[in-house]
Amino acid sequence: MSETELIRVLGDDDTSPAPYHPSLDDESLLALYRRMVQTRLFDAEMIRLHRQGRVSIYSSSEGEEALAVAAAMTLSEEDWLFPDYRVSGALFERGVPMEEFLAQLFGTSKDLSKGRQIPTHYGSRQRHIASISSPVGNGIAHAVGFAWAARIKKGPEVVLTFFGDGATSEEGFHTGMNIAGVHKLPVVFVCRNNQYAISVPFNLQTGSDTIAVKAKAYGFDGVRVDGTDALAVHDVVREAVERARKGGGPTLVEGVSYRHGAHSTSDDDTRYRKAAEAEAWRKRDPIDRFGRYLKSRGLWDDARDAALRETLESRIQTAVAEAEAAPPPPLESLFDDVYDDLPWHLREQRQDLTDHLRGLKGRKP
Amino acid sequence: MAVISYLDAISHALREEMRRDPTVFLMGEDIGVFGGAFKVTRGFIEEFGEERVIDTPISESGFTGAACGAAIMGFRPVVEFQFADFIACAFDQIVNFAAKCYYRWGIPVPVVFRGPSGGGFRGGPYHSQNPEAWFTHVAGLKVVQPSTPYEAKGLLKAAIRDNNPVIYLEHKHLYRRIREEVPDEDFEIPIGVADVKRDGTDLTIVTYGAMVHTCLGVAERLAAEGAEIEVVDLRSLAPLDKDTILASVSKTGKALVVHEAQLTSGIGGEVAAIIVESCWDALDAPVKRIGALDVPIPFSPTLEDAVLPSEGKIEATARELLEY
């Protein structure tokens, strides 16, 4: 492996070369494919809901599903995921039901974060998924600290953290990679290099040829993998996770991919990138590629694909309807959990709000 | 009961908490073999080992973020900033992450951020600041500043046991200057409770940190002239102890708020607002504030002395209020 070579399993025709034996059995291969399709359809539905004014903001992972799902698939139950805002597939892979993620997106009373975070900032201790905070890259330091704690505790946990190419310019990346390198901590850094940080292209983000090469300076391996090749992502990340688990220290995985959609529902990507570029990447769509591979192995066909999509669409619709029907969080919950205890000034403000609302007799505050 | 310094008290609190609770560990620059820039952790690495007394890279935001990550797992890290000024390097991790984590997803981040603060040492703009007001404006943080060895120990224990992130500011000028008897047995000083350091009936001085000692000196001098000044040591800046402040000002009818930190938008403004909002009828004089001049702390001794609140200024303002 080197920091500049692109690791691939699927060839140009999306079959794998004869000697390759996938590290996943047939059932797991199909599960991976289904999860990627679920992610694609879910994200597309969220974009539709945004256009209808039902979800306030969303960042689609279209084009990067292989990275999110195949990487998360390599984790064991005790491991922890420190995600970013563009890996819905990784959440689903960790067992998050769509209803639960949707409750977060809608910010309802069923949301685990009680309606306090903007969409996609999901977190769940039970599922070993850290909550995202919006400043890009600061979660990298949390992942490293968590791994450090695992080391002190002599626990089995491996930590996997996702971030984009833009985050590699942030100090969270540098400080996190540095500490992980010094202490050989059990962390796998997965950079989704999708070529753009909102509108800023890769060549304006870094003077390096690759992200992977940056690992060398921190004293551990960087691997560059074709992020549109689910099998390659899986194998590379699995090896990194195993190395971390055995005490071999961290690995930086650069998944080279492309963000097919805009950064979020708040920008128009046609203003900062060329249609021809996007078209070229569409030919390397991770789901199409993996589907062709499965078909070449005789594991999949068009009829099953159509049936899968129909089933998933229906499940997504049901989940949306259920999540959207939940009421908003109660106003009185506003003051809870700022502190573990409720200080006097928050007690006073809660009382003031209650009195104010009572005085309004149901009119808007 | 032994007589110990303010610095010893901090050291004892850390040592006792680490012995009591295996989830407590320390992170910071030069805190291991070197024992810390001010020697608070001298001998710690020998007792607790390098896994619990962690010498970090020079990376405030990195080790602060890492401490937050460890807290998510259930640890109670104590982070030492070599000087409180450098806490600015970790601002995002404290303000955007530690302070909001519990609210955002129900995971407490019980990290204590220790920082040697304060001026008077010719430390210039980067080794003299009093950054408490940067943090009292952030929901989710608690901020304390002890003035005596007894409080340094009791507040640090309370901070470590608190489930919220706590900014613990220790004034460098008190480290070796202030010594007193401190109980050997385990004790805590609850966060959010002020202490009346001197009873009086004619004027309330609300203050904290090193200024407590300066104000007590002023009160003693004016007592010789027959004025009885009450000195309230806030100890906790977030949350403030409203009841103790109001009880005192209701009794004296006059209030002066004194802090070493910059005047504008400082704790003094908040305390003055609480007093004016809640005991207007009891006031016999305007509420006055004294803080550092609103300039960075300059290096030149002549200039620095002019920037920090002086005993003379406090005494003159106290006299002015007493005359109302």
Side-chain angles (χ1 to χ4, degrees):
Chain A
M1 287 190 294
S2 83
E3 293 86 7
T4 50
E5 180 200 353
L6 190 69
I7 310 285
R8 301 172 65 183
V9 167
L10 299 177
D12 291 334
D13 61 354
D14 296 328
T15 60
S16 85
Y20 176 72
H21 300 288
S23 53
L24 296 164
D25 59 23
D26 291 354
E27 201 175 307
S28 305
L29 288 171
L30 290 172
L32 170 57
Y33 180 76
R34 287 193 195 99
R35 187 71 76 199
M36 287 166 63
V37 175
Q38 176 197 356
T39 304
R40 171 71 54 93
L41 298 181
F42 182 91
D43 284 4
E45 180 63 15
M46 292 312 103
I47 301 296
R48 273 195 293 278
L49 292 183
H50 171 74
R51 293 194 176 124
Q52 294 165 9
R54 292 156 71 189
V55 164
S56 67
I57 189 170
Y58 193 76
S59 40
S60 165
S61 66
E62 185 184 359
E64 301 177 68
E65 295 91 344
L67 267 171
V69 179
M73 200 175 186
T74 64
L75 295 177
S76 304
E77 206 171 325
E78 70 264 21
D79 297 335
W80 270 70
L81 176 68
F82 283 66
D84 66 8
Y85 46 74
R86 203 185 301 286
V87 288
S88 51
L91 306 185
F92 299 142
E93 189 54 35
R94 289 298 282 173
V96 177
M98 288 190 285
E99 291 80 357
E100 194 171 295
F101 187 40
L102 281 158
Q104 199 283 317
L105 299 175
F106 290 126
T108 67
S109 53
K110 291 193 173 170
D111 171 17
L112 295 179
S113 58
K114 306 184 185 179
R116 292 166 182 170
Q117 306 212 69
I118 62 167
T120 70
H121 289 44
Y122 171 92
S124 163
R125 167 166 269 179
Q126 183 205 341
R127 300 186 197 288
H128 289 199
I129 300 172
S131 178
I132 302 159
S133 46
S134 299
V136 165
N138 82 3
I140 299 174
H142 309 148
V144 167
F146 193 92
W148 209 339
R151 161 76 54 80
I152 294 171
K153 203 186 68 173
K154 304 193 182 354
E157 296 90 345
V158 169
V159 181
L160 187 149
T161 180
F162 284 108
F163 48 88
D165 42 301
T168 64
S169 302
E170 283 282 8
E171 62 180 341
F173 175 79
H174 164 64
T175 59
M177 296 272 289
N178 188 46
I179 291 173
V182 170
H183 293 279
K184 304 280 176 273
L185 297 175
V187 192
V188 178
F189 301 94
V190 181
C191 174
R192 301 175 297 95
N193 179 3
N194 64 18
Q195 316 302 322
Y196 285 90
I198 304 191
S199 67
V200 175
F202 182 74
N203 67 317
L204 294 183
Q205 199 63 244
T206 175
S208 287
D209 292 334
T210 72
I211 297 292
V213 73
K214 293 173 187 252
K216 211 174 182 63
Y218 297 105
F220 54 91
D221 285 343
V223 189
R224 202 159 176 262
V225 63
D226 182 348
T228 67
D229 179 340
L231 292 173
V233 170
H234 179 269
D235 289 3
V236 162
V237 176
R238 191 184 66 144
E239 196 179 320
V241 169
E242 281 175 5
R243 179 183 304 131
R245 203 179 308 283
K246 287 178 187 151
T251 307
L252 171 62
V253 176
E254 175 188 3
V256 181
S257 63
Y258 195 74
R259 198 189 70 207
H260 284 181
H263 163 71
S264 77
T265 45
S266 299
D267 63 303
D268 172 8
D269 61 306
T270 62
R271 295 173 74 97
Y272 52 74
R273 55 188 192 185
K274 294 190 170 66
E277 177 188 284
E279 266 320 297
W281 277 95
R282 285 228 176 252
K283 295 200 176 90
R284 292 172 57 195
D285 182 291
I287 293 178
D288 293 350
R289 295 189 71 193
F290 192 38
R292 282 195 287 271
Y293 167 76
L294 293 176
K295 285 174 191 166
S296 79
R297 292 270 316 273
L299 296 170
W300 200 245
D301 57 44
D302 289 342
R304 293 175 75 181
D305 204 70
L308 170 69
R309 285 167 191 267
E310 195 178 321
T311 308
L312 285 169
E313 288 286 10
S314 150
R315 278 181 45 209
I316 291 167
Q317 292 304 332
T318 308
V320 168
E322 184 188 307
E324 212 173 9
L331 260 184
E332 52 272 26
S333 71
L334 190 59
F335 300 95
D336 299 341
D337 315 316
V338 179
Y339 296 93
D340 189 39
D341 40 0
L342 192 69
W344 64 268
H345 63 288
L346 289 182
R347 262 200 313 277
E348 277 190 7
Q349 288 175 22
R350 186 172 65 183
Q351 189 60 48
D352 282 353
L353 179 68
T354 309
D355 294 347
H356 174 67
L357 293 174
R358 195 174 294 133
L360 288 170
K361 295 189 174 60
R363 282 180 289 134
K364 283 200 170 183
Chain B
M1 218 148 64
V3 173
I4 60 172
S5 69
Y6 183 91
L7 187 140
D8 292 335
I10 294 168
S11 189
H12 291 187
L14 288 173
R15 196 185 290 274
E16 289 171 23
E17 288 305 290
M18 288 182 77
R19 285 176 183 164
R20 185 187 63 79
D21 181 352
T23 69
V24 177
F25 72 89
L26 312 182
M27 299 174 102
E29 293 154 3
D30 305 301
I31 64 169
V33 177
F34 190 62
F38 294 95
K39 305 300 171 200
V40 169
T41 54
R42 181 156 43 197
F44 275 53
I45 199 162
E46 289 80 0
E47 177 172 353
F48 300 106
E50 57 187 24
E51 282 206 329
R52 294 183 69 198
V53 185
I54 301 173
D55 268 329
T56 64
I58 304 179
S59 177
E60 284 83 1
S61 77
F63 61 71
T64 301
C68 293
I72 293 172
M73 187 181 260
F75 282 83
R76 292 180 177 270
V78 180
V79 171
E80 175 177 303
F81 292 92
Q82 205 154 66
F83 286 84
D85 310 67
F86 305 136
I87 204 167
C89 306
F91 200 69
D92 173 57
Q93 291 291 0
I94 295 174
V95 167
N96 278 325
F97 189 77
K100 296 171 176 56
C101 191
Y102 192 55
Y103 196 68
R104 293 191 310 117
W105 63 304
I107 306 286
V109 181
V111 184
V112 178
F113 304 101
R114 284 181 44 232
S117 63
F121 298 88
R122 318 320 180 195
Y126 302 114
H127 299 80
S128 308
Q129 293 177 88
N130 290 286
E132 55 269 25
W134 302 351
F135 300 105
T136 54
H137 204 63
V138 179
L141 295 180
K142 294 186 176 181
V143 183
V144 299
Q145 188 167 145
S147 66
T148 66
Y150 174 70
E151 280 152 3
K153 188 171 180 187
L155 278 172
L156 185 50
K157 282 179 171 251
I160 291 170
R161 296 172 192 183
D162 201 286
N163 283 334
N164 306 282
V166 180
I167 310 280
Y168 179 96
L169 295 169
E170 45 203 60
H171 199 292
K172 297 189 285 290
H173 196 38
L174 303 176
Y175 271 157
R176 293 181 174 82
R177 188 166 67 100
I178 302 295
R179 303 172 67 84
E180 68 178 352
E181 281 195 338
V182 174
D184 297 322
E185 64 270 21
D186 185 49
F187 69 98
E188 272 183 71
I189 292 178
I191 295 174
V193 180
D195 183 47
V196 178
K197 284 282 189 292
R198 186 183 194 285
D199 287 321
T201 48
D202 302 331
L203 165 68
T204 298
I205 298 183
V206 181
T207 186
Y208 57 91
M211 281 292 138
V212 168
H213 303 281
T214 313
C215 292
L216 284 171
V218 169
E220 283 307 315
R221 259 202 311 284
L222 292 179
E225 300 173 19
E228 286 306 326
I229 296 178
E230 180 146 307
V231 177
V232 175
D233 178 0
L234 288 172
R235 305 199 292 201
S236 166
L237 309 177
L240 285 166
D241 181 353
K242 183 182 179 180
D243 293 344
T244 300
I245 297 168
L246 294 182
S248 177
V249 179
S250 299
K251 180 173 65 173
T252 63
K254 294 171 183 175
L256 167 63
V257 195
V258 178
H259 51 64
E260 190 186 300
Q262 199 173 310
L263 181 71
T264 301
S265 296
I267 307 299
E270 188 61 35
V271 172
I274 287 174
I275 293 169
V276 170
E277 279 180 346
S278 301
C279 62
W280 174 255
D281 291 344
L283 286 175
D284 297 323
V287 179
K288 293 275 186 180
R289 292 176 298 152
I290 294 176
L293 303 182
D294 290 326
V295 301
I297 306 295
F299 166 65
S300 152
T302 308
L303 297 180
E304 185 185 21
D305 289 346
V307 167
L308 299 179
S310 65
E311 277 193 49
K313 176 80 184 287
I314 297 166
E315 187 177 320
T317 312
R319 282 181 190 284
E320 188 189 323
L321 285 171
L322 286 166
E323 279 164 20
Y324 262 88

